[in-house]
Amino acid sequence: MTGVQTCALPIFSMFSIAGTTSTADTNTAATMPKGDIIETAIANGQFTTLAAALTAADLIAPLQGKGPFTVFAPTDAAFAALPKGTLESLLKPANKGTLSTILTYHVVPAKVLAADAVKLTSAASLNGQSFSIVANKRGVTVAGAMITMTDIECSNGVIHVIDSVMMPSTKNVVETAVAAGSFKTLAAALGAADLVETLQGAGPFTVFAPTDAAFAALPKGTVESLLLPENKAKLAGILTFHVAAGRSPASDVVRRSSIATVNGQRVAIEADKRGVRIGGAMISSTDIQCTNGTIHVLDAVMLPSTLNVVQTAVEAGTFKTLAAALGAGGLVRVLEGPGPFTVFAPTDESFAALPKGTVESLLLPENKDLLVAILKNHVVSGRVYSDQLSSGRVASIGGTKLTVKVSEAGVMVGAAKVISADIETTNGVVHAVNAVILPE
């Protein structure tokens, strides 16, 4: 996992020599109003091709906007160094979309001066893709292009000059995986689950992609079984557990403790000296850019929960009374439905702490309505994780209001304390509590 690199600021000083002026010149310049990025580039004289390309892509007006922007500007010589015919092809109206994608890859929607850029390892461009920033003794490169001059100040941002044109990815998530050659099983699985078209869509997506070796490490026969038509839903559940909405670069992932997946469940993230793990799988390569997202490579397949709320309670073994009560109250089918639900689940000890005879009485057929009211008082619609809980009142599916109090001591729901949080299920999340929550 890449981290933030630091480098001595003098690296950039050699780029600024060409722009050095006398004190008198500097004082005169300080009194003159700065032009915007377009005006500054045109006045400079070495960005004639860039200006023509921005015009062809209809990007003049946007880059004359408020911003701020940081433009890594290729010189005329940089454009001239492209393969023969490339520039002429890009300037054709039919290729306007491609040209715009390339040009916006050179723009960061923020003002990033040299002193800040040198501390970064990557930056997110206006086209959505990120590009690498590498600083060493020879200088600083962005996506392989050398920065030759920095900090040309403009009224709506700053320009850094580069010696070559940066080329963004032209492949979507699926095309990138197929082209890599090490995700053949993933590609086959996406096809079997009918997810290819989805992941070729606009997105953006963050895909945690298991390699062929990762799939091969699953128990014998697992992959073959998952690829069968009758297991399509299960396969889709596993694959969408590897996809998050939006672009999450490595620098973002490493700061998280979990991330929500398209499958609905969250997956835990752990970072230490050995690297970064997600769902128990090691991230072995990061920030593979695609037109519609980012890929991080995994050394193992992550497996989501396959049990619903009721099944999870039964499987745990500590919610036997709750399971019996759900059965007596006719709520099993409800909580096995799509949901999603958030269940504050009293343990067996919680029910045992009620006055003697209470549980037995509640389980009687004639007390079903009261039992249902109590049980529904423990369920909230939607997936609400512990870090999303805040002090206040929340509605239960029974129509009652639950009082939630969040403090350094933990989370209280009514008089019950959350003792184990964020237990994932296919149709919601369970928080174990140490008391039965009676309607207020």
Side-chain angles (χ1 to χ4, degrees):
M1 178 71 68
T2 56
V4 174
Q5 295 179 342
T6 58
C7 191
L9 295 183
I11 285 177
F12 273 95
S13 64
M14 61 184 174
F15 298 145
S16 303
I17 293 173
T20 300
T21 58
S22 68
T23 302
D25 289 339
T26 301
N27 291 335
T28 300
T31 63
M32 296 176 62
K34 297 174 184 175
D36 61 39
I37 282 173
I38 299 298
E39 294 168 338
T40 303
I42 291 173
N44 186 280
Q46 60 177 332
F47 303 113
T48 305
T49 308
L50 176 60
L54 290 170
T55 301
D58 284 339
L59 290 174
I60 294 292
L63 289 179
Q64 287 183 318
K66 183 178 180 181
F69 306 105
T70 297
V71 176
F72 293 90
T75 60
D76 291 338
F79 278 101
L82 290 172
K84 187 176 181 180
T86 300
L87 179 60
E88 293 75 11
S89 177
L90 286 172
L91 291 175
K92 291 179 179 178
N95 294 324
K96 180 179 176 180
T98 301
L99 177 61
S100 179
T101 298
I102 293 171
L103 294 175
T104 52
Y105 188 57
H106 291 74
V107 182
V108 174
K111 186 174 181 178
V112 185
L113 296 172
D116 300 314
V118 77
K119 301 172 187 176
L120 304 175
T121 58
S122 66
S125 74
L126 197 58
N127 90 351
Q129 296 184 46
S130 294
F131 54 80
S132 63
I133 300 176
V134 179
N136 55 36
K137 293 179 180 179
R138 292 173 295 174
V140 179
T141 60
V142 286
M146 182 67 73
I147 299 177
T148 58
M149 185 179 293
T150 66
D151 293 345
I152 301 174
E153 292 272 5
C154 311
S155 62
N156 62 343
V158 63
I159 295 173
H160 304 304
V161 184
I162 55 177
D163 70 351
S164 60
V165 179
M166 305 190 296
M167 289 295 181
S169 171
T170 58
K171 295 182 174 65
N172 61 43
V173 165
V174 177
E175 293 167 337
T176 300
V178 170
S182 53
F183 303 108
K184 294 176 183 176
T185 309
L186 176 60
L190 290 172
D194 283 340
L195 290 174
V196 169
E197 187 173 347
T198 300
L199 291 179
Q200 287 182 328
F205 309 102
T206 297
V207 178
F208 297 94
T211 61
D212 291 336
F215 278 101
L218 290 172
K220 188 176 180 180
T222 300
V223 172
E224 292 77 8
S225 175
L226 287 171
L227 293 175
L228 295 174
E230 57 265 34
N231 292 325
K232 179 180 175 181
K234 184 177 181 181
L235 176 62
I238 293 172
L239 293 175
T240 53
F241 190 57
H242 291 75
V243 182
R247 287 183 185 265
S248 292
S251 57
D252 176 55
V253 172
V254 75
R255 291 194 296 265
R256 293 172 174 261
S257 59
S258 66
I259 192 168
T261 69
V262 174
N263 152 302
Q265 298 181 46
R266 279 189 180 185
V267 59
I269 299 171
E270 297 177 309
D272 57 30
K273 293 179 180 179
R274 294 172 297 174
V276 179
R277 290 184 178 276
I278 179 167
M282 182 68 75
I283 300 179
S284 57
S285 182
T286 65
D287 294 335
I288 300 172
Q289 298 298 309
C290 314
T291 57
N292 64 341
T294 301
I295 295 176
H296 304 301
V297 183
L298 302 185
D299 70 352
V301 178
M302 303 188 295
L303 298 176
S305 171
T306 58
L307 304 176
N308 60 43
V309 164
V310 178
Q311 293 168 330
T312 299
V314 172
E315 183 81 9
T318 53
F319 304 106
K320 294 176 183 177
T321 308
L322 175 60
L326 291 172
L331 291 176
V332 169
R333 182 167 293 184
V334 173
L335 292 180
E336 285 185 332
F341 307 104
T342 297
V343 179
F344 297 98
T347 61
D348 291 336
E349 289 81 1
S350 301
F351 279 101
L354 291 172
K356 188 175 181 181
T358 300
V359 173
E360 292 78 7
S361 175
L362 287 171
L363 293 176
L364 294 175
E366 57 265 33
N367 292 325
K368 180 178 178 181
D369 289 346
L370 177 58
L371 175 62
V372 168
I374 292 172
L375 293 174
K376 285 186 174 181
N377 196 49
H378 292 75
V379 183
V380 173
S381 293
R383 285 182 185 265
V384 185
Y385 291 90
S386 58
D387 61 1
Q388 296 172 325
L389 290 169
S390 59
S391 296
R393 304 267 281 174
V394 61
S396 74
I397 65 170
T400 56
K401 293 287 187 178
L402 297 173
T403 300
V404 178
K405 184 178 180 180
V406 180
S407 67
E408 292 183 0
V411 177
M412 299 293 295
V413 184
K417 184 176 182 178
V418 175
I419 55 175
S420 181
D422 302 335
I423 303 168
E424 292 282 3
T425 75
T426 57
N427 64 340
V429 61
V430 175
H431 306 296
V433 293
N434 68 354
V436 176
I437 308 167
L438 299 176
E440 297 179 9

